[in-house]
Every structure is written in C-alpha cells, then in structure tokens.
Amino acid sequence: MSAEKETTWDRITGPKLFKTVTNVEGIHSVPLVPLRIMTGLLMIHHGSEGGVLPANIGTPEFQGFVDFIIKPYFGFLPGSPEIWSAIHDYVEFIGGSFLAIGFLTRPAALSLFGTMLGALYFHLSAVGAQGFPLGHVPNYSYDFEEPMLYALICLLFFFNGSGPLSIDSIIYKQISDEE
C-alpha cells in the first residue's frame, strides 16, 4: 500500500496546523534576522534623541528627557539625572548597534531589556494600564505596549542569541568545536 503524498492543504488543516517549531535553525531562524536588525535600528533611533549620536547634552530633546522623564519618574536614582539620561542613550545607541549587527547579542539584548523595563515603569507610572486588556483609550494606543514588546523581543535574543547572518554566528563558527 503506497502512502499518499501530503499536500499543502493537508499541512494547513491537519495535525501539522498545531505543530510547534522546537528547534529554531535553518529556515525557521530566518525571521529572526529582520526582527533583530529592525529592533536594533529602532533602538539606535531611540538612543539618539536630539541628534545623530547618543547623549546630545544641551539639545531641547535631551533636556526634555531629563526634565519630563528622568527627574519626575526616576528621581530616586543616585547621582545626576543628566548622567542617567546619557547612560540610557548610550545603552540604546550602542546596544542597538550591537543588536543590529549581531555582535555580543546576548549582553546587548540584556542591557536593552533593562532600558525597556525602565520605559515600561515610566509609562505605567505616568498613565497606568489604561484599562488593559479590554479597555478603550481615546488615542487608540496603549502607551506601555511598545516598551513591553521591545522588552520581550530583547528577552528572545538574550535567551536564543543572534541567529544567522550575524557577527556572533561567524565568531562562534571560528571558536566552536561543533560542526
């Protein structure tokens, strides 16, 4: 008795509809590349408020971050609010750069996760949960959604690494004994 050839329809309606990828390698790792690169580029953008490079001290954008976010919501931190703002910018700029190219991905992702936890704290402190998950917000946007998603993406790369097409994968191939 010959086995019938599986069709695409069988794959999307049969048991494979519920199959989960347990090994993120090969074709399954391809979506990680644009996710990693775009997340890194967006973090670079967030870390360069007021200019092209991070910590543009003296610009209205940098001072606004100090005055409207760091001082009122993170005033409990020791030291100068300007220093904390600069640290935030450098973590997002350098960490975003490293994440985008896939270099030292795990430490970069962990540091970005920390800044996203800070952003999450700020948004939840400023406006609360806004009726999440079933509430309605007048501006049609929950303020904490973006940092929450970024934090989860950073956790993904912290636990799983950079994936293919990264400097980390090239270095690993050179120093690892694995085939």
Side-chain angles (χ1 to χ4, degrees):
M1 186 149 120
S2 66
E4 290 185 40
K5 182 169 171 69
E6 183 181 58
T7 66
T8 301
W9 184 250
D10 293 332
R11 284 189 215 104
I12 62 174
T13 61
K16 287 193 176 178
L17 172 67
F18 302 99
K19 185 177 180 186
T20 300
V21 173
T22 57
N23 189 1
V24 185
E25 289 184 6
I27 193 70
H28 299 293
S29 64
V30 171
L32 294 177
V33 176
L35 180 65
R36 188 194 77 237
I37 292 170
M38 286 308 302
T39 301
L41 292 175
L42 291 167
M43 286 293 108
I44 293 168
H45 170 72
H46 282 279
S48 59
E49 294 162 324
V52 177
L53 298 174
N56 293 288
I57 297 169
T59 63
E61 292 85 356
F62 183 84
Q63 197 57 46
F65 187 80
V66 171
D67 292 339
F68 299 111
I69 295 175
I70 298 296
K71 286 181 179 177
Y73 295 96
F74 297 93
F76 58 86
L77 293 172
S80 163
E82 288 79 8
I83 296 295
W84 287 107
S85 297
I87 290 169
H88 158 270
D89 282 1
Y90 277 106
V91 165
E92 288 188 350
F93 191 87
I94 295 170
S97 299
F98 281 12
L99 188 66
I101 63 174
F103 178 63
L104 297 173
T105 302
R106 285 187 166 100
L110 185 61
S111 64
L112 291 169
F113 176 71
T115 64
M116 290 303 101
L117 287 182
L120 192 56
Y121 164 76
F122 157 69
H123 286 292
L124 290 173
S125 296
V127 295
Q130 299 172 295
F132 174 82
L134 301 174
H136 171 75
V137 257
N139 65 354
Y140 299 97
S141 175
Y142 292 105
D143 291 342
F144 68 91
E145 286 177 338
E146 183 181 325
M148 174 67 83
L149 287 172
Y150 278 131
L152 294 172
I153 291 168
C154 289
L155 273 182
L156 170 85
F157 286 108
F158 174 71
F159 285 111
N160 292 309
S162 61
L165 296 176
S166 65
I167 293 174
D168 286 351
S169 67
I170 294 168
I171 292 171
Y172 185 74
K173 286 177 187 172
Q174 295 298 313
I175 65 173
S176 172
D177 292 335
E178 291 182 19
E179 290 292 323

